[in-house]
Structures are given as C-alpha cells and as structure tokens.
C-alpha cells in the first residue's frame, strides 16, 4: 500500500476515462460499497450487468458473480480484482458430479442457485437467486419434478414454502452454516426486543427462530420498513453497513458464529477484494473473466429465463 496515495480518486478518474462501471455486492466492505456505482445482491447485480452500457464491468464480489456478469454481457470486459475470490458453496458442486446427479434423477427440471460456476449453469434449466427462488419454483407447473442445487438449506426452505417434489443437492455455504443457535438465543435474552432476521442459506434451527427470513436485499428492505428498533442479523455482516446507512437510528447485532474467536461469519472470499486491488485491476484491466464460448452461450439461456420470470414479479420482496 503506497502511503498517502489517493487510490479512491485514481479509481474514480480511471473509471470515467475507461467508461467502466463498478458493481459491488452487499458483502463487500463499506469503503468499496461507497466507491461502487451500484451495490446490490446477486439478482440486482446480474440485472445491472445485463443493462449497463459501460465498456468495462469491474466486479467487487466473488468469481461466480463476475462470471454471471460476463455471461450476460459477453462483449464487455469483465474484471475481478482477485481470482481467488471463490465461494465454498459454488465449490461444493462440481460439474462432473452434478452431471451424474442429473443422470441419476432423470425427468426433473434443474433449478440452480446463482452461486455456481458457469459450467453448472450450462447444465441447468433455470437459475434462481435467494430473492426469487420460491417464485421461480412456483412459476413451474405444479406436477413438475425438480432438482435444486447447490445449497441444501435454501433448497429445504424452498421445499417447505412450495411443497413441490424437489431433490436437493447437498451443498452449503460455510458462512451461513456457521451461526450458532445458542449464541443467537443468548443475544436475544440480552436484547429481548431485537428481531431475528435470517438468510435462507442458514440451517433450519436458526431459520425456525427467525422473525423474518429473506435474501440479503429482502433483509435490508425489511429493516427499513419494519417499525422495530433492534435486529439480530444472521447473514454476512457486510449488509449491516447499508442497514446503518439507510436507518442509522436502529441497532444491528451480527448473529454470532459457533466459534466466537474466528470471525467466520464474514465471507473470507468476499473480503479478498480491497480498494488497492480494485485500483490495480482497473489500471491493468486484469484479471479478466474468460469463459469458453459454448459454455457461455449455454449458460445464458437459464439466466435469461430467470430474468424474464423475475421481471414479471416486479420489484423483489
Ligand atoms: S457468503 Fe457463502 S455463498 Fe456467499 S460468496 Fe461467501 S461462501 Fe459463497
């Protein structure tokens, strides 16, 4: 880090010079969220990537998100400041194993969460995010049998909400599995008025004590519209930055992880992105996301199907 160097001003200068747009996920640090042209969850960011007229998309998020942007905007240069910014959930579903799973469960529509590699998307019929997973499944004919991958907790949540015949892939996100029910309930004892708000990637026991369950964007919206004053937030704590920005008079308590010493409710992949890395990435226009043309073309169809269906629902819940 060059002491005293104004990385932010330089990034802003290069951004306008190169006609670039910076898209940041809610799990990024506050300085990156403030620097971004647009901050959102996976669904909003993919919609933004599909509609931007910038020449360069710099993605402050993880690899599968940048890949989704490339699939939706194949003619644009899509940059990711650190290629090691992966995702434990995406890693839990490898193409070879998933092909076998589909073969073992024939005749099912493959609904895949956006947190997957481009190869997995290319094997899918329709993509979903945590914002629209229930609506996407409900949009399918009632008797349609479904495969849901890769998150078993979100899959289980969708199954309970829709009552559909769903075969669920056994994948998880290391962050959302980490929350401790006991520690959350202890916090609730200390703050009895606090509402427990939970992402659907969390395990069932945590979801069962929730006052509200929703995607990152839905949790943010809920804290804005709700008349409560205090929330225990069971998702990656990066979102609390936007919650505080939107409603600074309320209190937000990060749900504690099982191991109170590890800080493992933070996504270590998301936090690999820094302002300094964004600066070098934009300067060198590297690392760039590249996807094989056949995979890119095939993966586009199930994403387009999702965007078309979620467009019909209007603003996300
Ligand atoms: S929070 Fe979980 S699902 Fe999201 S990017 Fe990190 S590891 Fe993947």
């Amino acid at each position: 880090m060059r002491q005293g160097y104004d990385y932010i001003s330089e990034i802003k200068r290069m951004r306008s010079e190169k006609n670039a747009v910076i898209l940041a996920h809610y799990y990024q640090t506050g300085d990156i969220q403030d620097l971004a042209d647009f901050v959102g969850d996976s669904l909003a960011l993919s919609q933004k990537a599909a509609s931007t007229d910038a020449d360069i998309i710099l993605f402050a998020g993880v690899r599968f998100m940048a890949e989704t942007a490339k699939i939706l905007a194949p003619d644009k240069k899509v940059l990711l400041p650190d290629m090691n910014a992966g995702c434990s959930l995406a890693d839990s579903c490898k193409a070879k194993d998933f092909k076998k799973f589909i073969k073992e469960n024939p005749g099912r529509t493959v609904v895949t969460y956006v947190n997957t590699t481009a190869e997995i998307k290319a094997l899918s019929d329709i993509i979903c995010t945590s914002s629209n997973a229930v609506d996407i499944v409900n949009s399918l004919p009632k008797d349609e049998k479904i495969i849901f991958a890769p998150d078993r907790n979100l899959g289980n949540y969708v199954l309970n909400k829709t009552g559909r015949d769903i075969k669920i892939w056994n994948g998880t996100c290391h962050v959302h599995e980490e929350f401790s029910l006991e520690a959350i309930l202890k916090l609730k004892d200390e703050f009895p008025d606090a509402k427990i708000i939970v992402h659907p990637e969390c395990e069932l026991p945590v979801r069962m004590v929730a006052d509200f369950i929703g995607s990152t964007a839905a949790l943010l919206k809920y804290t804005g519209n709700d008349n409560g004053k205090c929330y225990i937030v069971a998702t990656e704590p990066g979102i609390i930055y936007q919650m505080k920005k939107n409603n600074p008079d309320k209190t937000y308590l990060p749900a504690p992880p099982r191991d109170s010493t590890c800080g493992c409710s933070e996504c270590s992949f998301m936090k690999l992105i820094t302002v300094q890395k964004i600066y070098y990435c934009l300067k060198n226009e590297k690392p760039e996301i590249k996807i094989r043309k056949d995979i890119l073309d095939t993966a586009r169809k199930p994403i387009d199907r999702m965007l078309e269906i979620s467009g019909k629902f209007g603003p996300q819940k």
Side-chain angles (χ1 to χ4, degrees):
M1 189 96 164
R2 280 150 69 185
Q3 284 303 324
Y5 191 73
D6 190 351
Y7 288 101
I8 302 270
S9 297
E10 270 307 295
I11 292 168
K12 287 180 178 167
R13 186 190 60 73
M14 287 191 286
R15 171 170 62 189
S16 92
E17 198 177 279
K18 294 173 184 247
N19 189 28
V21 68
I22 299 176
L23 305 183
H25 192 268
Y26 284 133
Y27 297 169
Q28 293 292 298
T29 51
D31 52 354
I32 294 176
Q33 294 191 34
D34 284 344
L35 171 65
D37 297 283
F38 186 78
V39 186
D41 67 350
S42 303
L43 176 64
L45 292 173
S46 41
Q47 285 165 328
K48 209 72 193 169
S51 65
T52 182
D53 54 11
D55 296 317
I56 295 176
I57 298 172
L58 187 143
F59 216 103
V62 294
R63 192 170 175 145
F64 76 79
M65 296 176 177
E67 281 187 356
T68 307
K70 182 68 185 173
I71 294 165
L72 288 166
D75 299 333
K76 304 202 187 284
K77 191 176 258 189
V78 177
L79 305 174
L80 181 67
D82 189 330
M83 281 294 181
N84 291 318
C87 166
S88 64
L89 181 54
D91 286 348
S92 72
C93 190
K94 304 273 187 239
K96 188 168 114 299
D97 303 328
F98 196 50
K99 268 185 204 162
K100 192 164 162 257
F101 187 71
I102 294 172
K103 215 167 159 193
E104 285 167 0
N105 295 282
R108 289 177 179 262
T109 300
V110 181
V111 179
T112 304
Y113 192 26
V114 71
N115 299 33
T116 45
T117 61
E119 262 182 299
I120 296 292
K121 288 187 177 76
L123 295 169
S124 308
D125 295 305
I126 184 160
I127 305 300
C128 70
T129 70
S130 52
S131 286
N132 61 23
V134 170
D135 289 334
I136 294 281
V137 167
N138 273 333
S139 76
L140 301 171
K142 284 235 168 332
D143 56 348
E144 206 154 311
K145 294 182 174 175
I146 293 161
I147 283 176
F148 189 94
D151 190 84
R152 68 176 178 216
N153 294 321
L154 180 62
N156 189 271
Y157 172 74
V158 172
L159 188 148
N160 288 337
K161 282 273 180 191
T162 62
R164 298 299 182 95
D165 181 342
I166 305 180
K167 199 94 190 169
I168 301 169
W169 178 267
N170 190 18
T172 57
C173 154
H174 75 294
V175 173
H176 287 94
E177 284 252 312
E178 198 47 48
F179 294 114
S180 157
L181 176 64
E182 290 68 30
I184 289 173
L185 293 177
K186 198 161 165 262
L187 201 55
K188 174 82 178 167
D189 279 345
E190 285 171 47
F191 298 88
D193 294 336
K195 289 185 175 168
I196 302 172
I197 59 172
V198 173
H199 193 279
E201 280 175 32
C202 293
E203 289 178 319
L204 181 61
V206 173
R207 296 202 310 271
M208 279 175 63
V209 300
D211 293 288
F212 179 74
I213 301 173
S215 68
T216 316
L219 298 183
L220 178 63
K221 196 169 169 191
Y222 179 79
T223 55
N225 294 342
D226 180 60
N227 55 16
K229 288 276 170 237
C230 182
Y231 303 90
I232 297 170
V233 183
T235 189
E236 215 276 0
I239 186 63
I240 292 178
Y241 185 73
Q242 286 296 326
M243 289 173 172
K244 278 187 183 156
K245 246 177 129 173
N246 292 357
N247 289 282
D249 54 324
K250 297 189 177 187
T251 304
Y252 309 94
L253 309 164
R258 287 197 179 95
D259 178 352
S260 58
T261 62
C262 72
C264 29
S265 60
E266 287 203 350
C267 177
S268 52
F269 298 111
M270 285 280 180
K271 297 317 193 249
L272 281 177
I273 309 299
T274 62
V275 167
Q276 200 183 8
K277 286 181 190 171
I278 290 175
Y279 165 80
Y280 283 110
C281 178
L282 197 50
K283 183 170 181 240
N284 300 320
E285 298 185 18
K286 279 192 186 97
E288 184 183 351
I289 297 287
K290 304 260 186 199
I291 302 173
R292 238 175 54 203
K293 172 101 175 65
D294 57 327
I295 292 180
L296 195 141
D297 291 344
T298 320
R300 166 118 201 186
K301 289 176 199 134
I303 304 177
D304 277 345
R305 210 171 150 198
M306 168 188 80
L307 292 176
E308 193 191 309
I309 294 173
S310 50
K312 286 184 197 153
F313 298 136
Q316 289 305 305
K317 292 166 252 174

